[in-house]
Amino acid sequence: MKATYLAIILFFVLTAIGIPISVSMMLGVIIAVVLFGVYPPISLATLFYSSLDSYLLVAIPLFMLSGIVMSYGGIARRIFNFSESLLGFLPGSLGSVNVMASMIFGGISGSSVADVAGIGAIGIREMVNRNYPRPYSTAITVASSTLAVIIPPSILMIIYATIANIPVGAALASGLVPGLFITLVLIAVNTVFAIRKKWAPSRGFSMSQTVRTAAQGFPALLAPVVILGGIFMGFFTPTESSAVAFLYCLFIGTFVYRELNAKKLYQVIYEGGRTSGIVAFELASGLLFSNLMTIEGIPGLLTHAFVGMHSEPWQVMILINVILLVAGMFLNPGFSIIVLTPLLLPIAKSAGFHPIHFGIIMVTNLAIGLITPPVGGCLYIGSVVSGVPIEKLIRALLPFYVVLLLALVVIILLPAMSTGFVEWLYRD
Amino acid sequence: MGKSLRKLADHAEGILLCLFTFLLMADVLLGILARYVNFEIVFADELGKYLFVWLCMTGVSAAARDNQHVRLSFLAARLPNRKGTWILSQVLFLIFSLFFFYWSFRLTRMHFVMEKSVMGFRFPMYVFTAALPVGFALTAIRLIQDILHTWKNRRPLNPWRPAENNDMI
């Protein structure tokens, strides 16, 4: 126990003086392990290595690259245009268009930060150009970016599947219906807002317009079909589909839309690789810390304490959700999954929750963490892209926090929403 | 140092990332292709995994170069002597990198001596564990560059802004 406590205290101190979060965590573990002689230091190197030693994780950089190349290759803009031709007739339509575009983008990329930086930036620019308030435009963009990690493919879900040891295809599939549900909820909320503020639709619904943008966007719109279809029908493994996704986006960006060149491609690969490095540190720090906790027997103690409380499943679930929300606010999502899954999954199971259902609960919680302060990747990048100060953005986001939390409650209460599609998919 | 050499050093990570991304894509795509022509490349999965490790470790250095590793800055910003705090945090990061460089180097050497080969197929293990010492060495170099620059110019090479937070996902 002593080593874990020391690691946690050091983590807080080191983070406070501005050391990168994952480095603080690892440094804390290193000092604790060496000081208390928990295991020889060379094992730290072995552990670091083994945190990356999984074929499933290979999908992470490739899905990230797909997200980045969509923005550089003009694919994101076509998706946005198509969404507008479909939903342009709604009051305050551009907000809803923004949400729908994020949904489609999420069906290709699986990274929420890529979503805000890519299609989010387009959405905010369009909305501000047409006189929507800047904070609101940014808020709906940031809120809808949570869809990218819920809708398959999702990088968080891949990490969860590796840790929880469940089939990754099933884990990914479980996010589809909840993702569509959140899309509809956000569109509904935006429409209600628009009616109250008397925002006009951007245009009437026109079949010819829709057909035209659909034709222009067809190669882009085909991407999620190829990727998700490929995974769900069993043509590719998720890792393979990530490579196909990147190749496909590269191809249409270069040869169909002709917006990619060698220089942009270099930029894409550099950014993607850099982000993979950041994620690798998150994964390694998560494994180092969770390994230390396991050595000191903390997961067992915690489960024991929970079982000893004889609480109702709903009480357990509320507690778990509070833990996840707080973790999401302060920690990186990948780190949270690696550390918290071994702690919380046994407890959730004993309360009667299915691992696949629990996965989507966890990912949704952590997705909300991406848009809450003080550590929230999407929140910060939204603020940069739009120039809205963080405090103002948080105020504009308040109603969306409430809505997303309510959506989370629905996802918890209706397990069939997450598992139904998976069961249908693997019905044989 | 020649001008072109300097440019090369500045883009070291970018060049390596292009190489690893290309190899990784080729590996995974060939794996798919092979399956459809009923030919199995036994090492495709193993190789993909190890290219991924190389890619990530190069990315770690690239993120250190651009100061993109996620930090919590609101506390550090309130501390007196921001330059000193920044240098302190970078020095501790450097010590961390050197620690891991040393031990992962030892690990690699151990594998080298033992000639351990990867389970599925023929690649010697040390080729892949070598990604760690190489990545941490590159990271350490980038950190030293940043520390020296901050020391001389009173501000970091690429200042960390939470705004450009490249937190995953």
Side-chain angles (χ1 to χ4, degrees):
Chain A
M1 290 294 268
K2 274 185 286 183
T4 309
Y5 284 140
L6 180 64
I8 294 173
I9 294 168
L10 284 170
F11 166 69
F12 282 116
V13 175
L14 296 171
T15 311
I17 57 172
I19 298 179
I21 297 174
S22 16
V23 177
S24 305
M25 191 77 252
M26 287 191 271
L27 210 48
V29 173
I30 290 174
I31 295 173
V33 164
V34 173
L35 219 59
F36 289 104
V38 184
Y39 48 77
I42 197 164
S43 304
L44 285 163
T46 318
L47 270 176
F48 188 107
Y49 189 77
S50 62
S51 71
L52 302 176
D53 191 6
S54 156
Y55 188 62
L56 287 175
L57 298 177
V58 177
I60 294 177
L62 297 177
F63 276 132
M64 209 115 60
L65 282 165
S66 316
I68 300 171
V69 84
M70 276 200 284
S71 318
Y72 280 91
I75 299 169
R77 215 182 49 250
R78 266 75 175 194
I79 293 177
F80 190 87
N81 291 347
F82 171 72
S83 306
E84 191 182 0
S85 70
L86 270 191
L87 296 182
F89 68 96
L90 287 171
S93 56
L94 274 192
S96 304
V97 168
N98 211 334
V99 175
M100 184 178 168
S102 272
M103 179 193 85
I104 301 176
F105 192 95
I108 308 174
S109 126
S111 153
S112 287
V113 169
D115 181 292
V116 183
I119 210 150
I122 299 172
I124 295 170
R125 200 170 53 229
E126 283 297 311
M127 287 179 81
V128 170
N129 279 346
R130 297 194 220 167
N131 301 323
Y132 285 79
R134 197 178 275 266
Y136 179 81
S137 314
T138 316
I140 191 149
T141 304
V142 169
S144 66
S145 75
T146 55
L147 288 170
V149 288
I150 297 171
I151 288 190
S154 150
I155 291 169
L156 289 184
M157 207 47 114
I158 292 173
I159 300 176
Y160 174 76
T162 48
I163 301 292
N165 227 337
I166 55 174
V168 67
L172 288 175
S174 71
L176 188 67
V177 181
L180 295 177
F181 168 69
I182 294 178
T183 308
L184 289 179
V185 169
L186 286 175
I187 289 178
V189 169
N190 176 68
T191 310
V192 171
F193 251 101
I195 292 171
R196 278 179 48 190
K197 306 234 165 175
K198 300 199 169 57
W199 290 334
S202 55
R203 60 162 74 106
F205 184 80
S206 125
M207 201 57 206
S208 64
Q209 170 84 12
T210 308
V211 170
R212 209 165 40 115
T213 52
Q216 278 170 358
F218 181 72
L221 294 170
L222 200 62
V225 178
V226 171
I227 295 160
L228 298 183
I231 302 177
F232 295 153
M233 311 284 279
F235 291 132
F236 321 120
T237 64
T239 304
E240 289 170 350
S241 79
S242 68
V244 173
F246 182 44
L247 184 73
Y248 184 79
C249 293
L250 270 183
F251 178 79
I252 52 180
T254 314
F255 296 108
V256 182
Y257 298 145
R258 293 169 189 263
E259 293 190 20
L260 270 180
N261 52 32
K263 206 175 167 193
K264 275 187 179 174
L265 183 60
Y266 175 82
Q267 199 60 32
V268 168
I269 291 177
Y270 184 77
E271 278 180 30
R274 194 175 65 184
T275 316
S276 308
I278 298 169
V279 177
F281 258 23
E282 277 186 39
L283 297 176
S285 62
L287 191 77
L288 287 182
F289 183 68
S290 109
N291 181 270
L292 181 61
M293 281 201 306
T294 312
I295 288 177
E296 300 206 304
I298 292 172
L301 286 176
L302 204 70
T303 317
H304 202 72
F306 262 94
V307 174
M309 283 178 357
H310 296 292
S311 27
E312 297 286 320
W314 62 269
Q315 291 168 320
V316 173
M317 209 57 214
I318 289 179
L319 199 59
I320 286 180
N321 274 283
V322 171
I323 294 174
L324 285 172
L325 282 173
V326 174
M329 286 172 75
F330 288 96
L331 301 169
N332 300 325
F335 177 86
S336 306
I337 289 182
I338 292 181
V339 173
L340 293 177
T341 305
L343 293 181
L344 300 181
L345 183 60
I347 298 167
K349 268 187 191 162
S350 69
F353 287 88
H354 193 279
I356 287 185
H357 184 209
F358 182 68
I360 196 72
I361 294 174
M362 188 165 207
V363 167
T364 311
N365 268 296
L366 297 175
I368 296 173
L370 281 170
I371 63 168
T372 49
V375 180
C378 295
L379 185 69
Y380 288 116
I381 202 131
S383 158
V384 180
V385 171
S386 64
V388 176
I390 293 275
E391 309 80 56
K392 256 192 167 170
L393 179 54
I394 293 171
R395 212 169 312 139
L397 267 168
L398 287 177
F400 291 105
Y401 292 143
V402 177
V403 170
L404 287 172
L405 284 175
L406 289 177
L408 173 64
V409 172
V410 175
I411 290 171
I412 295 171
L413 291 180
L414 297 177
M417 203 181 212
S418 319
T419 55
F421 178 60
V422 183
E423 276 163 15
W424 177 80
L425 205 59
Y426 298 100
R427 57 194 174 279
D428 308 319
Chain B
M1 198 160 50
K3 210 174 182 182
S4 55
L5 206 62
R6 186 177 288 253
K7 206 170 170 185
L8 191 73
D10 200 38
H11 289 89
E13 288 93 349
I15 294 162
L16 286 175
L17 285 172
C18 287
L19 176 71
F20 295 137
T21 308
F22 174 77
L23 290 176
L24 181 60
M25 284 293 285
D27 176 73
V28 179
L29 293 172
L30 283 178
I32 305 176
L33 210 66
R35 199 175 54 231
Y36 281 94
V37 294
N38 268 331
F39 176 82
E40 204 185 348
I41 306 180
V42 248
F43 56 85
D45 285 16
E46 288 299 315
L47 183 61
K49 223 160 66 174
Y50 299 116
L51 284 168
F52 163 74
V53 177
W54 273 96
L55 183 95
C56 285
M57 289 315 296
T58 316
V60 162
S61 173
R65 171 184 180 271
D66 304 341
N67 280 322
Q68 288 276 330
H69 284 291
V70 185
R71 298 168 193 250
L72 263 187
S73 51
F74 64 95
L75 275 169
R78 297 211 165 98
L79 295 173
N81 193 353
R82 291 182 68 170
K83 178 186 155 190
T85 318
W86 175 262
I87 290 184
L88 176 67
S89 74
Q90 291 293 73
V91 167
L92 286 169
F93 191 174
L94 176 64
I95 292 173
F96 159 85
S97 308
L98 292 175
F99 176 92
F100 259 116
F101 167 73
Y102 177 74
W103 286 107
S104 56
F105 180 76
R106 292 267 306 253
L107 182 73
T108 309
R109 207 180 52 183
M110 202 174 82
H111 285 306
F112 182 73
V113 173
M114 287 159 47
E115 273 283 351
K116 231 170 130 179
S117 65
V118 173
M119 280 241 298
F121 233 80
R122 62 210 142 219
F123 296 100
M125 187 78 178
Y126 59 83
V127 177
F128 303 109
T129 41
L132 265 68
V134 171
F136 281 114
L138 271 174
T139 308
I141 294 171
R142 293 304 186 195
L143 287 169
I144 292 170
Q145 282 178 331
D146 183 78
I147 292 166
L148 291 177
H149 189 273
T150 315
W151 188 265
K152 271 191 243 155
N153 304 300
R154 323 195 111 256
R155 62 191 166 86
L157 215 50
N158 301 295
W160 152 256
R161 279 182 295 249
E164 281 167 24
N165 188 338
N166 242 330
D167 190 5
M168 76 186 249
I169 352 239

